[in-house]
């Protein structure tokens, strides 16, 4: 089952942006819980950094996410500008412009643009702790400007559509990356392949095999830096670098295609 970590920005004594009595921490918590409910309805396991009005530091949020483990980390925020009604739109921040996190960020932005927000794009922010210290692909979504009337009107009047748009962007990224088994809502048990002993057969995408461990670790590091779920396996005297473990062949094929587009040599194995 795919798993995502959802983070409601700010909280407790740290309200985030404030405008005419409106507090960012309230909007982010409401949105986080709504998106989480939609993801769970579609067979995704969800963990939260907070579900109440409490404060944790950005580092603590990253540590909560890492302890939970997951395929992606999504942090929700509302933007702010020096002057009211100065700017408008949504943008999503990432540690760097590589790997699956960029695909997730673009998918969320595009879905929110369909609701009516201006798409301000994906931006690199290596200084943000929740993006830097999380051990899975991480994005921070700025869902409109808290001190822009038009963005608040859209956020409030189209709240359900906003939550559905974000959930849709997450689900489409999980599906294209091979994290979902079958159609949305089908859960992870549908369409699995089994070997002759009745054990689930897992498909992995291999990107290299070396007798020298240092070469394998170098490739592993590059893949992990690009947020691919890569791991090292020692077998038959070789250090093998593989990505993912998929119950469905179609999902392994999608991951292989993504890796090839990124310039890696690959083949699918059931080892």
């Amino acid at each position: 089952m795919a798993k995502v970590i959802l983070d409601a920005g700010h909280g407790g004594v740290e309200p985030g942006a404030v405008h005419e009595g409106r507090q960012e921490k309230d909007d982010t918590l409401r949105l986080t819980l709504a998106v989480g409910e939609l993801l769970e309805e579609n067979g995704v396991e969800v963990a939260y950094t907070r579900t109440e009005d409490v404060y944790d530091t950005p580092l603590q949020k990253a540590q909560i996410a890492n302890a939970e483990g997951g395929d992606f980390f999504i942090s929700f925020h509302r933007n702010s500008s020096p002057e009211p009604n100065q700017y408008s739109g949504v943008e999503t921040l990432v540690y760097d412009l590589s790997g699956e996190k960029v695909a997730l960020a673009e998918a969320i932005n595009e879905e929110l643009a369909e609701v009516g927000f201006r798409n301000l794009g994906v931006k690199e922010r290596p200084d943000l702790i929740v993006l830097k210290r999380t051990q899975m692909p991480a994005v921070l979504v700025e869902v409109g400007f808290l001190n822009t009337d038009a963005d608040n009107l859209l956020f409030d009047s189209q709240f359900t559509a906003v939550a559905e748009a974000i959930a849709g962007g997450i689900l489409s990224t999980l599906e294209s990356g091979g994290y979902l088994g079958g159609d949305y809502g089908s859960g992870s048990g549908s369409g699995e392949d089994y070997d002759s002993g009745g054990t689930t057969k897992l498909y992995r995408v291999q990107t290299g095999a070396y007798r020298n461990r240092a070469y394998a670790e170098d490739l592993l590091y590059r893949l992990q830096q690009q947020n691919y779920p890569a791991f090292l396996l020692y077998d038959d005297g070789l250090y093998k670098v593989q990505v993912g473990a998929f119950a469905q062949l179609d999902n392994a094929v999608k991951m292989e295609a993504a890796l090839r587009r990124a310039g890696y040599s690959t083949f699918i194995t059931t080892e």
Side-chain angles (χ1 to χ4, degrees):
M1 175 184 290
K3 182 176 183 178
V4 300
I5 315 300
L6 300 183
D7 169 49
H10 307 286
V13 298
E14 218 295 72
V18 177
H19 177 63
E20 296 181 348
R22 186 172 191 144
Q23 299 185 95
E24 182 180 1
K25 68 174 185 177
D26 298 326
D27 283 0
T28 61
L29 181 57
R30 181 184 174 210
L31 182 60
T32 297
L33 296 176
V35 171
E37 183 177 352
L38 289 167
L39 293 176
E40 289 172 337
E41 289 173 357
N42 284 283
V44 177
E45 183 179 355
V46 178
Y48 302 89
T49 61
R50 72 178 179 103
T51 57
E52 299 176 338
D53 186 18
V54 297
Y55 174 71
D56 289 301
T57 68
L59 178 58
Q60 288 172 321
K61 287 171 178 275
Q63 291 170 337
I64 291 169
N66 294 338
E68 286 285 350
D71 299 304
F72 290 96
F73 173 90
I74 301 101
S75 184
F76 296 102
H77 288 255
R78 299 290 313 280
N79 223 329
S80 186
S81 55
E83 299 293 334
N85 299 306
Q86 187 175 10
Y87 302 115
S88 177
V90 297
E91 63 181 6
T92 299
L93 311 179
V94 294
Y95 178 76
D96 60 34
L97 297 174
S98 68
E100 293 178 298
K101 59 185 178 291
V102 177
L104 173 61
E106 290 175 343
I108 291 173
N109 281 1
E110 289 168 4
E111 291 286 346
L112 286 171
E114 290 294 320
V115 177
F117 285 103
R118 181 184 177 195
N119 186 350
L120 300 177
V122 178
K123 298 179 182 178
E124 192 174 74
R125 285 292 301 274
D127 57 315
L128 296 179
I129 295 296
V130 293
L131 301 180
K132 182 178 182 180
R133 299 296 294 272
T134 43
Q135 296 172 352
M136 67 280 292
V139 303
L140 188 154
V141 188
E142 298 275 14
V143 189
F145 284 76
L146 190 82
N147 60 346
T148 294
D149 294 338
D151 282 1
N152 285 337
L153 178 61
L154 195 56
F155 187 94
D156 294 336
S157 65
Q158 300 294 321
F159 180 80
T160 299
V162 170
E164 290 174 345
I166 294 171
I170 296 169
L171 289 166
S172 65
T173 304
L174 289 171
E175 184 183 46
S176 63
Y179 297 96
L180 288 178
D183 296 333
Y184 300 161
S186 63
S188 60
S190 61
E192 294 179 348
D193 293 330
Y194 297 86
D195 61 22
S196 58
T199 303
T200 303
K201 180 189 294 183
L202 296 178
Y203 299 96
R204 303 169 182 171
V205 183
Q206 186 160 305
T207 58
Y210 306 90
R211 296 196 180 278
N212 187 319
R213 184 186 180 100
Y215 295 154
E217 288 180 341
D218 179 66
L219 176 58
L220 178 68
Y221 176 78
R222 283 188 282 126
L223 287 163
Q224 290 179 340
Q225 284 295 103
Q226 294 179 309
N227 290 312
Y228 290 106
F231 59 92
L232 190 62
L233 174 70
Y234 184 73
D235 183 52
D236 292 334
L238 294 173
Y239 295 97
K240 299 179 180 181
V241 183
Q242 298 182 348
V243 178
F246 304 97
Q248 294 187 0
L249 178 58
D250 285 350
N251 292 333
V253 170
K254 291 175 183 176
M255 177 60 76
E256 183 183 36
L259 287 162
R260 287 187 175 180
R261 286 195 300 270
Y264 293 99
S265 298
T266 64
F267 74 91
I268 294 175
T269 178
T270 57
E271 294 181 52

